[in-house]
Structure formats: C-alpha cells, structure tokens
Amino acid sequence: MQKTLEYIESHQDQHIRDLSEFLAIPSVSTDAEYKADVERCAAWLSEHLAQCGLENVQQIPSGGHPAVYADWLHAGSNAPTVLFYGHYDVQPVDPLDLWTSPPFEPIVKDGKIYARGAVDDKGQVMLQIKALEACLRSDGRLPVNVKLLIEGEEEIGSEHLEDILREHRERLACDVILISDTAMFGPAMPSLVYGLRGLTYMEITVHGPNRDLHSGSFGGAVDNPANALCAMIAQLKDAFGRIQIPGFYDSVRSVSETERRELQRLPWDEQGYADSLGLAHTNGEFGYSTLERLWARPTLDVNGIWGGFTGEGAKTVLPAKASAKISMRLVPDQDCHDIAEKFEQYIRTIAPPTVRVEVQSLHGGNPALTEIDSVGMRAAMRALELAYGRKPFLQREGGSIPIVLVLQEILAADTVLMGFGLNTENTHSPNEHFSLANYKSGSIATAHFYHELLNLSAGSA
Amino acid sequence: MQKTLEYIESHQDQHIRDLSEFLAIPSVSTDAEYKADVERCAAWLSEHLAQCGLENVQQIPSGGHPAVYADWLHAGSNAPTVLFYGHYDVQPVDPLDLWTSPPFEPIVKDGKIYARGAVDDKGQVMLQIKALEACLRSDGRLPVNVKLLIEGEEEIGSEHLEDILREHRERLACDVILISDTAMFGPAMPSLVYGLRGLTYMEITVHGPNRDLHSGSFGGAVDNPANALCAMIAQLKDAFGRIQIPGFYDSVRSVSETERRELQRLPWDEQGYADSLGLAHTNGEFGYSTLERLWARPTLDVNGIWGGFTGEGAKTVLPAKASAKISMRLVPDQDCHDIAEKFEQYIRTIAPPTVRVEVQSLHGGNPALTEIDSVGMRAAMRALELAYGRKPFLQREGGSIPIVLVLQEILAADTVLMGFGLNTENTHSPNEHFSLANYKSGSIATAHFYHELLNLSAGSA
C-alpha cells in the first residue's frame, strides 16, 4: 500500500493534467449540438483507461450516447468484484456570462480546478481511475476485481443505461457497486451517503391566442398565457411550502425519531449556510429543519420559465404562449412515474378553460436508501478514516442518482456512495470547480477501499 | 382635386416601391444594436420628404433618436395649419422564426405588403406623404399649411418628444394635429378614434440565492425566485379578472349609458373575433362586453417572463433570479405615474421576505379622449366618407399613443386620429402587414381632408 500512496503523491501534477484534458472536452449530453463532442469524450476516456492498465476497454453503444466499459479481473475468484459507476457527460454551461473563465478551458486557482464537470462527475471519475492506475503501476495488480461502467447520459436521465445493464448483466456482475458522484458534508469531513432523493422533471406549455398580440389592441379581450401559467404555478405550493398536488405526500416515509436525532448530531451552521448563499434566512416546508428539508422531504422547484418578450426595452406584446420547467425531488417511498401522473392530473384540474395546456415528463428517477452496514459500506468507512484521519459522516443527499436503484435491482449488489465533492463547488452552476486536495485524498481513499474490502471479505468469507 | 386623385391612382406602383424602401430599414428603437439603422432611416426619410416637394426638411436631434421635421407653408395666413405626427421607428421582430418572410425584406402578397412597421407606423406615415406629394405635383400647392413631425422613439415611450415640442413650440404651432397610427373598426369600415388607453409598463426582477444552485443539493432549503415571481404575479388579478392593486380603479371613469348604447350599435361578431384568434371564447374582466374591456376598461398583462434554464432538455437548476415585464392599459382618468407607484407599492406589499425584489418603470403614457365635434374631426368625417363611400365609425382604441395628450397640451390644438390599419394586420407580431387598398384610400382620404378642412374653416371663419 505504501508504494501506491507514494505513487499517488508523486504523480499529482500528471494526474491534474490528465483531468484537465478530460474536462476540456465539452460533453454536454442535454444538447444535440454537442453530440460529436460527447463521442469524442467517450473515445478519449476509452484510450485513457487502456493507458492506465485497464483491460477489455470497450464502448458500449446505446440508442443515445455510448457508455464506456473496462475491467481488471485477475484478483482471483475468491476476491470480491467491484463495479465502479460514473458518468462522463456534463450539464449545459449557461448562463455563460457568469463564468469567470471559459467552462471548457480548465484552470487551477487556489488549489481548485475550475471547469464544467470538474466535480460532477469527471473529477470524481478520474480520481477513481488514478487510484487504479496507482495500484497497477506500483503493485502490478489490484487487491480485488474491478469493473468500470462510465456512462454518457446521466444528465439526461440515464435513458439507455437500464437496457445496457440488462443486456450485459453477467458481464457486469459484482459484489459491490461503488459510485463517486456525491458531496461530503463539509470540507475535510469525509462522508458516505446512504440516501438519495428521486426526481420527476416536467415541462408545461400554456397556449393562448394563435399569435402574439398587441397588448393595447387586444388586452382585456383574451386570457394571457403567461398570467395563466403564473397562476397555475402559484397553486403548486401553499404559504407553508406544502405541495398542493393531491396525493403527493401519500407514500412519503416520515423521518424517524432516530434519524432526527442523527441529523441533529451533525455539525450544522444554519446562519453560515444562509450567508454562503447570500440569504438572510433559509426557507422551506414548515415544521422541518433545513437538513430534513434537504434530505428527507420532497420539494418542488421551477427550474426555468419563459414567454413573451424577454429582450431589452418595453415591447407591448400579449404572448401566444408561455412555458415552464418544473421538477420535484422525491423521497422514499414516492414513485417518480406516479408523481408525474399526479402532477399532470393536478395541472389539468387547475388549468383555466381559457387556455390550452401541454404537459410532458422530461425525465425521472426514484429515491433510494442503501444498507449502511454492508461489507462495502464498512470497507468504505475504514478507507475514508485512513485517508482523512477521522471517522466519516453518514448522510443523505438532496440530489438524485436515479440509476442507483436500477443498479441495485439489476445487479443485486450493495451500493457504496463514496463522494468527494463539496456543496460549495457550484455543481450545475457557473464556475463549477473541484478541490485538488479532495482529488488526491479521493484517490488515496479509493486505493484503501480496495484493500479494506479484500480484508473484510476474507474475514467474512 | 380630380388631378390629385388621378395622380394617386396612376402612381400606386411607385408609391409602393417608396414604402418598400422605407420598410427595408430596420429602425428598431428599443434595441441599442440598431442605433445606426434608426439614424439611417431618419436620413432616408428626410431626403424623401424633400424629393416630394416639402420644405425646411430638418432632423431635430434629441437625447436619443432624432425626429424629422418638414413643412409647406404657402397656403396663406387665413388657411388653417395642420401638424401631422407619426413615427418612423418600429418594434423588435422576435420571435423571428414565426415570420414567413424576413421582416425587413418587404414583399407584396394578396394585396398586402408584409414587413415590420408596415402598418405601425411606416405605411401610415408614407400614405400621408404620398397625399402631400400628389397635391403638390398635381396642383403645385396644398389647400392648407402643413407641418410634419415624424419621431423615432414612439415605441420606447417618446422619451424626448416632449422636450422637442416645448423647445420648438412656435415653429410647430398649428390648428389641427393629424395622426395616422390607429386601426379601422374593420375592413372597408373607415373609422375615427376619439379615445385611447394609456400605459404603465413595469419590469420586476426577483433575486434569491447569490448564484444558480443545484435543485437537488439545495432544493427545500431556499426560496425559489421563479416560484416567488409567479406567486406575486398570481396576486395581481382575481378570478374575475379584477386587478388587485389597491386604488387601481379609483379614478377610472365609468362607461356612460350613452356610450354603452353606442358601443352596442357597432357591428360586432363575438364568435368571429374569438375564432380569428384561435380561441373558443374571449375572456376578461367580469361584467363588461369585449368592446368595453378593450376600449373603456383598464387591463394588466405579462408581456414577458424569464428565469432559470430555458434551453433544450432538463437542467436541474434552482435559479438565482427571475424577471417579468408587466404592463397595464389605462383609461380616463387614470394617471400613468400614479399607477406605476401603486403597482410598486403593491408588489412591495406582497413580496415575500425570502427574496429581494427590484421594480422599475420602463415607460408610461396617460389615456386620452378627444373632442368629437371639432372642425378637424368634422373635416375628417367628410374626407373618409368621400374616400370610402360610407359614413365613418366613431370608436375608441385599446392601444396607446401617449404623445397625444402631450401634443394637445403643448400645442393646444384639436387632434384627429384618422388611422387606416386593421387589427388583423399583426401589429407588434410576426408577419405584420398593411392593406395596399387602405394604403391608397388613406392617401385619397388625406387629400380630401385638407380640402374639407379649408372649406369648413372658411365657413367657420
């Protein structure tokens, strides 16, 4: 293990250069315009995996963007097998004008690397690859069998991953699923995530008159689709932040007293949190703490809204239509399809007869809770303690990795969510970045993880 | 008069070519990007006025876009003096993708000319100029003294026109103010407008967190500015279409029984009107007919709304801010500044403490009612009857020409709103167009107007 740690230490500059190359490729999966770049990114990743000593590197085609597979399977049939899952696609960059440096020209500043995808998820994928490279180069082998599956459609709901998993079930068979796509509770606070929220993402378009109208000549005679859209959105929540969709909370698992106590034990600076967001106060569903609202309660947010004249000046138009993207974060045991239906039904109920409303579901994923005393989780806890010198925190996460449930179901293996991001690193926002300290510690923790997993499995075998 | 009518008849092709040249210049006043084109348009117009035989052509500089002045003053001191007011600036063209031909490449189709500004207001300015050209070329003179003032800032609230009017009061002195910027009640239904609505145009921006956030990692902890904006907009009107701003209706002059009867006498096809807009029904303030809502009642409309991610796909962002443009149409005796203040006060009242709200007034103008039995109006009624062969309709108009009140106040002259547009000609919308039949009839009516005005004035003198 010593040689491996020395290798990681002595190769940091090279590892950062490798990450920069990876980040420089604009693999934006949501936007058809970037299709060629996404393909280029998959090709670059495949080549890099081979260079790092991984075997059977292959691009697995899907209806959309390809997934990249690689493995190293010489640890023996008694050694456990780990499947690492990550994604090489990234979110769009807009609003571009808020970036202080071009999103696809990575730069290192104050111990952080800035670029779209730095922390979500290219940086966390690369630290895993670097851990494997370090073991292979220093020991010539890995303690366990490792498979990697790195997809290109996570940011668009992993459309085709389920098909891939079912088609290649045998080949992807494993004992533990390892994912690095979550955030630590805070700087230097190693964390393991045991709960994730789900997601239902909808788009509404409200249609009024058959063309944009002059608001003077026609104002007063026809319903305004933008006003109507706002009126509908206003009916989605009440003054206490409770979502008004009938049946929305039916299958929400309430926070147990035990979990409430656990949450309260976590170090949490409410005012510092608000300050970091430039807010006087946090705000959310009445009757719950901020951490409960973030981790254990569902939410509803407008992600985007547009209609009419949005340029400079004062155009007196009565718009023909207006649209909004609205998403809901889900918690166990809500079902993303059930919520999508309930959302659409409610919208149809509150839609005024004066407009025509279109509702479509853009994507969804179910919430997940994972076993916290599995072999994989215990190995991860030891590994993080060795890498960071302190016991890791057990936490939930407000975001979604819809694929976790699918991985668990299809591969029937324990899941370990060992992430190295920070919530202050602007995921999905301008100036996304990743701490280089965590980039290195992440590689170290991962190397430890493989060794600890072998020990614990041997013990339990 | 006969020679003048023959001239107009025989020069239509040339007159259409002149209008096309005028329309081809993208004089969009709301957008700084088009500043040079607006200046080019003023220069072209000045040159054209001189070519048509008008004198003392001059560009009057303002803080913003210049106004164009010209006159012909040889009818003698006993003859009345008419000031024609119009504007050469146009609205923006978006949404551009809905235009079936480029907005600044005028084309003639089915007896209509298509281009931005075709009816509002370049076409109506040009038919006036062509009437003057026809009189001057055929008779070598005009029956009355004529001054023209054609501004370049009407679509941005005529910011500097008031200063220009005050500074050049003597030079612009006149007996009648003639304006062609209104719509006829319907095809082949010559109309004179005696009432205009006013306008208060506001912009709101709601600020939340100091950056766009991941809606998973932060959703539930902070108020969403887009949701907050919608909730506020929803509180601007009740379910009966009544505006909820305290004091909003205080100075609204109610519709008199006489006017109600007049309105009911106008030919009005409610279902045909709805059909033409692709709607099953009209909709507006409870308790008023569609014409009352359009002409005699105030309104509130969202003209534009934007915030968060509006591109393709499903970006899970919790936006840092959201904005809306909201305008109100006013009726006598509402005051646009008073309403702007009441709007802002109400917004401040309903703004949640969880967000920061910015409110700005983009522009405004007061409503107007004009004398219907002035010499100018009577001359216009005769002129329209001669040109169209039927008595004109007296009507109000839902739109605003904020400058009418200022012109009346500063120049202390009667106003005549003799417009030749149609409400079906897509003013402010894609595929704006103008009927070439009305383009010609408008020139004929205008020529008649000058002769009738001389006769009536002589009579009354």
Side-chain angles (χ1 to χ4, degrees):
Chain A
M1 192 57 199
Q2 196 47 41
K3 292 209 281 23
T4 304
L5 298 182
E6 281 161 11
Y7 181 95
I8 293 172
E9 198 59 58
S10 58
H11 287 73
Q12 270 310 295
D13 294 352
Q14 181 56 48
H15 290 178
I16 291 164
R17 282 195 295 275
D18 295 340
L19 175 55
S20 299
E21 265 190 55
F22 193 23
L23 290 170
I25 308 172
S27 49
V28 180
S29 55
T30 64
D31 189 340
E33 258 184 40
Y34 289 90
K35 195 172 189 322
D37 296 301
V38 176
E39 281 164 11
R40 186 155 55 87
C41 193
W44 183 92
L45 180 59
S46 307
E47 197 186 323
H48 190 72
L49 286 164
Q51 285 165 5
C52 294
L54 289 146
E55 304 172 350
N56 304 312
V57 179
Q58 187 204 336
Q59 287 190 40
I60 302 178
S62 76
H65 306 305
V68 175
Y69 174 87
D71 61 30
W72 189 94
L73 305 174
H74 310 297
S77 54
N78 295 337
T81 299
V82 174
L83 173 72
F84 169 73
Y85 162 85
H87 64 94
Y88 67 83
D89 63 320
V90 301
Q91 280 274 323
V93 298
D94 59 276
L96 186 56
D97 56 323
L98 295 186
W99 286 77
T100 54
S101 65
F104 296 110
E105 296 172 22
I107 61 159
V108 172
K109 215 167 47 187
D110 316 326
K112 309 177 183 91
I113 186 161
Y114 287 78
R116 169 58 83 224
V119 59
D120 177 19
D121 183 36
K122 285 176 171 174
Q124 301 204 59
V125 165
M126 191 54 83
L127 70 84
Q128 292 281 343
I129 297 170
K130 294 297 124 182
L132 297 170
E133 175 195 318
C135 294
L136 289 167
R137 293 248 198 286
S138 54
D139 298 344
R141 69 190 311 285
L142 302 177
V144 298
N145 301 303
V146 173
K147 302 172 179 180
L148 299 97
L149 183 66
I150 303 164
E151 73 156 317
E153 302 189 316
E154 198 270 347
E155 303 292 4
I156 48 174
S158 303
E159 266 180 79
H160 302 89
L161 195 60
E162 186 164 348
D163 302 341
I164 291 174
L165 291 174
R166 295 195 187 283
E167 191 182 334
H168 302 270
R169 185 196 246 104
E170 281 64 32
R171 184 183 189 189
L172 297 170
C174 60
D175 305 292
V176 177
I177 300 159
L178 175 63
I179 300 175
S180 291
D181 196 16
T182 48
M184 295 162 47
F185 190 73
M189 295 172 73
S191 310
L192 285 165
V193 171
Y194 67 94
L196 292 162
R197 289 197 289 192
L199 177 69
T200 292
Y201 197 113
M202 311 292 289
E203 184 165 318
I204 308 179
T205 298
V206 178
H207 298 270
N210 53 16
R211 63 184 191 276
D212 283 359
L213 302 174
H214 186 296
S215 67
S217 310
F218 292 89
V222 307
D223 201 6
N224 181 320
N227 289 76
L229 176 62
C230 292
M232 290 163 69
I233 289 172
Q235 293 173 69
L236 294 173
K237 285 197 224 183
D238 71 8
F240 300 95
R242 285 177 308 218
I243 294 153
Q244 297 299 293
I245 299 165
F248 184 84
Y249 293 100
D250 286 356
S251 44
V252 169
R253 205 186 297 173
S254 57
V255 187
S256 71
E257 268 319 305
T258 327
E259 185 163 20
R260 242 182 202 202
R261 274 196 304 277
E262 281 304 315
L263 289 178
Q264 279 155 3
R265 233 189 257 121
L266 281 163
W268 177 255
D269 171 6
E270 179 74 14
Q271 194 53 54
Y273 181 82
D275 293 347
S276 73
L277 300 173
L279 297 168
H281 308 285
T282 62
N283 185 64
E285 187 183 7
F286 179 82
Y288 296 89
S289 74
T290 300
L291 277 183
E292 286 167 349
R293 291 167 177 163
L294 285 171
W295 293 353
R297 296 296 299 172
T299 64
L300 181 149
D301 276 294
V302 171
N303 304 108
I305 187 166
W306 66 101
F309 180 66
T310 59
E312 184 187 344
K315 188 178 182 205
T316 52
V317 66
L318 200 163
K321 60 180 184 169
S323 303
K325 295 174 190 276
I326 299 172
S327 69
M328 289 146 284
R329 294 288 164 174
L330 312 180
V331 299
D333 299 310
Q334 290 177 298
D335 174 83
C336 62
H337 304 294
D338 173 60
I339 293 298
E341 274 171 32
K342 286 174 168 156
F343 177 89
E344 174 160 6
Q345 278 166 22
Y346 182 57
I347 289 293
R348 301 263 171 233
T349 313
I350 62 177
T354 49
V355 294
R356 182 170 62 81
V357 178
E358 247 180 294
V359 181
Q360 69 182 122
S361 170
L362 292 192
H363 84 257
N366 282 328
L369 281 179
T370 66
E371 277 303 322
I372 64 174
D373 55 4
S374 66
V375 171
M377 282 291 271
R378 285 177 10 242
M381 291 180 84
R382 289 198 198 176
L384 286 171
E385 186 164 4
L386 287 167
Y388 283 86
R390 70 190 290 192
K391 280 208 181 312
F393 294 83
L394 278 179
Q395 64 172 66
R396 289 208 203 185
E397 150 72 36
S400 314
I401 312 183
I403 200 58
V404 168
L405 275 193
V406 184
L407 285 161
Q408 285 178 329
E409 180 212 326
I410 299 176
L411 303 178
D414 296 331
T415 310
V416 173
L417 299 171
M418 185 168 69
F420 300 95
L422 293 171
N423 278 331
T424 52
E425 292 180 325
N426 295 13
T427 313
H428 291 207
S429 303
N431 307 313
E432 177 179 354
H433 56 279
F434 186 37
S435 151
L436 292 176
N438 287 326
Y439 182 54
K440 185 170 79 176
S441 305
S443 292
I444 294 169
T446 303
H448 280 300
F449 173 72
Y450 291 124
H451 286 276
E452 295 304 319
L453 184 65
L454 180 66
N455 300 342
L456 285 171
S457 311
S460 67
Chain B
M1 192 60 197
Q2 196 46 43
K3 293 210 289 345
T4 304
L5 298 181
E6 281 160 11
Y7 181 96
I8 293 172
E9 199 58 57
S10 58
H11 287 71
Q12 269 311 293
D13 294 353
Q14 181 57 48
H15 290 177
I16 291 165
R17 282 195 294 277
D18 295 340
L19 176 55
S20 299
E21 267 190 53
F22 194 21
L23 290 170
I25 308 172
S27 49
V28 181
S29 55
T30 64
D31 189 339
E33 258 185 37
Y34 289 89
K35 194 172 191 318
D37 296 301
V38 176
E39 281 164 12
R40 188 156 55 88
C41 193
W44 182 92
L45 180 59
S46 307
E47 197 186 324
H48 190 73
L49 286 164
Q51 285 165 3
C52 293
L54 288 146
E55 304 171 351
N56 303 313
V57 179
Q58 188 204 335
Q59 286 190 39
I60 302 177
S62 75
H65 306 305
V68 174
Y69 173 87
D71 63 30
W72 188 95
L73 305 174
H74 310 296
S77 53
N78 295 337
T81 299
V82 174
L83 173 71
F84 169 73
Y85 161 86
H87 63 95
Y88 67 84
D89 63 323
V90 300
Q91 280 275 321
V93 297
D94 58 274
L96 185 56
D97 56 320
L98 295 186
W99 286 77
T100 54
S101 64
F104 296 111
E105 296 173 23
I107 61 159
V108 171
K109 218 167 43 186
D110 315 325
K112 309 178 182 94
I113 186 162
Y114 287 79
R116 168 59 82 224
V119 60
D120 177 19
D121 184 37
K122 285 176 171 175
Q124 302 204 57
V125 165
M126 191 54 83
L127 69 85
Q128 293 280 343
I129 297 171
K130 295 297 123 181
L132 297 170
E133 174 195 319
C135 294
L136 289 166
R137 294 253 199 282
S138 55
D139 299 344
R141 67 190 312 284
L142 304 177
V144 297
N145 301 303
V146 174
K147 303 172 179 179
L148 299 96
L149 183 66
I150 302 164
E151 73 156 315
E153 301 188 315
E154 198 270 347
E155 302 294 3
I156 48 175
S158 302
E159 266 180 78
H160 301 90
L161 194 60
E162 184 163 350
D163 301 344
I164 291 174
L165 291 174
R166 296 195 188 284
E167 189 180 336
H168 302 270
R169 185 196 249 107
E170 281 65 32
R171 185 185 192 187
L172 297 170
C174 61
D175 305 293
V176 178
I177 299 160
L178 175 62
I179 300 176
S180 292
D181 197 16
T182 47
M184 296 166 34
F185 190 73
M189 296 172 73
S191 309
L192 286 164
V193 172
Y194 68 94
L196 293 163
R197 289 197 290 192
L199 177 68
T200 291
Y201 198 112
M202 311 293 288
E203 184 165 316
I204 307 179
T205 297
V206 177
H207 298 269
N210 53 15
R211 63 184 191 276
D212 284 358
L213 302 174
H214 185 297
S215 68
S217 310
F218 293 89
V222 308
D223 201 7
N224 181 321
N227 289 75
L229 175 62
C230 292
M232 289 163 70
I233 289 171
Q235 293 173 68
L236 294 172
K237 284 198 225 183
D238 71 8
F240 300 96
R242 285 178 308 217
I243 294 154
Q244 298 299 293
I245 299 166
F248 184 84
Y249 293 100
D250 285 358
S251 43
V252 170
R253 205 186 294 174
S254 57
V255 187
S256 72
E257 268 319 305
T258 329
E259 185 163 22
R260 236 177 210 207
R261 274 195 305 277
E262 283 303 317
L263 290 178
Q264 280 154 3
R265 233 188 259 123
L266 282 163
W268 178 256
D269 172 5
E270 180 74 14
Q271 195 52 53
Y273 181 81
D275 293 345
S276 73
L277 300 172
L279 297 169
H281 307 285
T282 62
N283 185 65
E285 187 183 10
F286 179 82
Y288 296 90
S289 74
T290 300
L291 276 183
E292 286 167 351
R293 291 166 177 164
L294 284 171
W295 293 354
R297 296 296 298 173
T299 64
L300 181 148
D301 275 294
V302 171
N303 304 108
I305 186 164
W306 67 100
F309 180 67
T310 60
E312 184 188 344
K315 189 179 181 204
T316 52
V317 66
L318 200 163
K321 59 180 183 169
S323 304
K325 295 174 191 277
I326 299 172
S327 68
M328 288 147 284
R329 295 287 163 174
L330 312 180
V331 300
D333 299 311
Q334 290 177 297
D335 174 83
C336 63
H337 304 294
D338 174 58
I339 293 298
E341 276 171 31
K342 286 175 167 154
F343 177 89
E344 174 160 6
Q345 278 165 22
Y346 181 57
I347 289 292
R348 301 264 172 232
T349 313
I350 62 177
T354 49
V355 294
R356 181 170 62 80
V357 178
E358 247 180 295
V359 182
Q360 65 180 127
S361 169
L362 291 191
H363 84 258
N366 282 329
L369 283 178
T370 67
E371 277 302 321
I372 65 173
D373 56 1
S374 66
V375 171
M377 283 291 273
R378 277 161 34 226
M381 291 181 83
R382 290 198 197 176
L384 286 172
E385 187 164 3
L386 288 167
Y388 282 87
R390 70 190 291 191
K391 279 209 181 312
F393 294 82
L394 279 178
Q395 65 173 65
R396 289 207 201 186
E397 149 73 37
S400 312
I401 311 182
I403 201 59
V404 167
L405 274 191
V406 184
L407 285 161
Q408 285 179 327
E409 179 213 325
I410 299 176
L411 303 178
D414 297 329
T415 310
V416 174
L417 298 171
M418 184 168 70
F420 301 95
L422 293 172
N423 278 331
T424 53
E425 292 180 325
N426 295 12
T427 313
H428 290 209
S429 304
N431 307 314
E432 178 178 354
H433 56 278
F434 186 36
S435 150
L436 291 176
N438 287 326
Y439 181 54
K440 184 169 81 176
S441 304
S443 291
I444 294 169
T446 303
H448 280 300
F449 172 72
Y450 289 124
H451 284 275
E452 295 304 318
L453 184 64
L454 180 65
N455 301 341
L456 284 171
S457 311
S460 65

